[in-house]
Amino acid sequence: MFALLISGCASTKSSAPVLERASMAQKSPTKTRNDGDLRPQTYTVQKGDTLYGIALEHGFDYKEVAEWNGITPPYTIHIGQSVKFKDSPQTVVVTPLKTGAMAETRQAGEDALLKTQPKALKLAYSEQAEKASTARTESQDKPVPAELPAEKKEGNQAEDDERVEWNWPTTGKVITSFNEASGSGKGLDIGGKSGQPVLAAGPGKVVYSGSGLRGYGKLVIIKHNKTYLSAYAHNHKILVKEGQSVTKGQKIAEMGDSDADQVKLHFEIRRFGKPVDPMKYLPSDKS
């Protein structure tokens, strides 16, 4: 799990503690959302947590989480502290009007309508007036095409905005498949040669670049949108920096064996912070 306990950004990794990546596996969330996003609205800091690990575990940029909570470098947090995630939905409380108030409001509205309605006028009969009246009646009888509700349009647009056109991060044979039940099977291991190009699987922003997460070696994490992150581990050399925007297919690192028993790329896709099977997202053609 790449999102467990990052020791710090590139400038602080040497002084911050490096912790085991499995140490956040026992954490339990508080309230969750109802829109398919199961991330908690808040998180209570446990022993061994770091802000970097909490943010990445829940699919956020740690710098954003720090800003939302007023936490400044070196991003120190304390056991029992509540960390909130700003884009969690807020509860809206609607207080109904009292019956008397509703009646008064309705009556006031009716009175205002009566006062502002134009008075009916009798017009002298003419052929022109009759044609105008007929035209008005016909126009009222014509069916008006129903328009898609605004919230439906916005929903479709939001869904389209969260899609990612994925591409394979490198070429080579998949030597280890995704296994959600396994602590080390949160993605794919792809074999290759040292120095082989590692490419961004989709456009986005680099939210982590460094070697502070034990078990992943030299690691790059890209945030593609509010929904998806991707991770690229065991690199020989990293070519991008935190905060940098990248395009799909851009070279971000060179394959290596840092903190691994062989040369390979460990690749993960996370949806709302939860590891998902990359094979369900990547195209069948690896080229």
Side-chain angles (χ1 to χ4, degrees):
M1 282 169 77
F2 72 86
L4 306 183
L5 306 192
I6 301 287
S7 62
C9 60
S11 61
T12 60
K13 293 184 183 69
S14 59
S15 58
V18 177
L19 302 171
E20 296 292 346
R21 59 178 173 177
S23 57
M24 286 183 68
Q26 304 300 322
K27 306 302 184 292
S28 57
T30 54
K31 287 184 179 180
T32 56
R33 314 172 188 190
N34 297 317
D35 58 357
D37 182 352
L38 300 180
R39 290 177 293 185
Q41 296 178 4
T42 61
Y43 178 83
T44 302
V45 177
Q46 308 291 322
K47 183 178 180 180
D49 282 344
T50 66
L51 183 67
Y52 315 101
I54 292 172
L56 294 172
E57 176 71 11
H58 297 90
F60 296 110
D61 180 345
Y62 71 83
K63 291 181 180 178
E64 291 178 339
V65 177
E67 182 179 356
W68 297 338
N69 290 273
I71 302 172
T72 57
Y75 307 116
T76 302
I77 54 178
H78 307 281
I79 295 175
Q81 179 178 346
S82 179
V83 176
K84 62 184 178 180
F85 304 121
K86 186 176 180 180
D87 68 348
S88 298
Q90 301 297 320
T91 302
V92 179
V93 178
V94 180
T95 304
L97 292 173
K98 295 181 179 180
T99 304
M102 292 178 65
E104 292 175 4
T105 302
R106 183 171 61 250
Q107 184 62 46
E110 292 174 353
D111 291 345
L113 181 62
L114 289 174
K115 291 179 180 179
T116 57
Q117 285 279 11
K119 296 181 180 180
L121 300 175
K122 288 187 177 181
L123 300 176
Y125 173 79
S126 68
E127 184 177 352
Q128 183 178 3
E130 182 180 12
K131 288 181 180 180
S133 177
T134 302
R136 284 197 300 271
T137 303
E138 290 177 350
S139 65
Q140 292 174 356
D141 293 338
K142 289 182 180 179
V144 179
E147 185 178 358
L148 193 64
E151 59 183 80
K152 184 70 174 177
K153 290 180 180 179
E154 293 173 0
N156 290 343
Q157 184 63 46
E159 182 179 348
D160 290 341
D161 290 344
E162 294 306 296
R163 291 176 180 170
V164 178
E165 293 184 6
W166 297 100
N167 191 43
W168 280 83
T170 194
T171 58
K173 180 181 179 181
V174 175
I175 55 179
T176 304
S177 299
F178 175 83
N179 184 354
E180 190 171 6
S182 171
S184 59
K186 302 303 183 182
L188 304 177
D189 286 347
I190 305 172
K193 299 178 180 179
S194 182
Q196 182 173 314
V198 173
L199 313 176
K205 184 180 77 170
V206 178
V207 294
Y208 184 80
S209 173
S211 56
L213 182 59
R214 183 173 298 169
Y216 285 96
K218 295 182 180 179
L219 173 68
V220 175
I221 298 173
I222 297 175
K223 181 177 182 179
H224 302 282
N225 49 43
K226 290 169 58 179
T227 304
Y228 292 103
L229 295 173
S230 60
Y232 313 75
H234 305 310
N235 298 292
H236 165 68
K237 183 179 182 181
I238 295 176
L239 305 176
V240 291
K241 299 179 179 180
E242 290 182 9
Q244 179 178 339
S245 295
V246 295
T247 58
K248 183 177 74 171
Q250 179 178 335
K251 185 177 179 181
I252 59 173
E254 295 178 356
M255 189 183 294
D257 59 355
S258 58
D259 211 355
D261 57 358
Q262 67 180 97
V263 174
K264 62 182 178 181
L265 170 67
H266 177 74
F267 174 68
E268 296 182 7
I269 293 177
R270 288 183 172 247
R271 184 176 185 273
F272 296 128
K274 177 181 173 61
V276 293
D277 187 355
M279 294 297 288
K280 295 181 179 180
Y281 294 82
L282 298 173
S284 55
D285 183 7
K286 292 185 180 182
S287 59

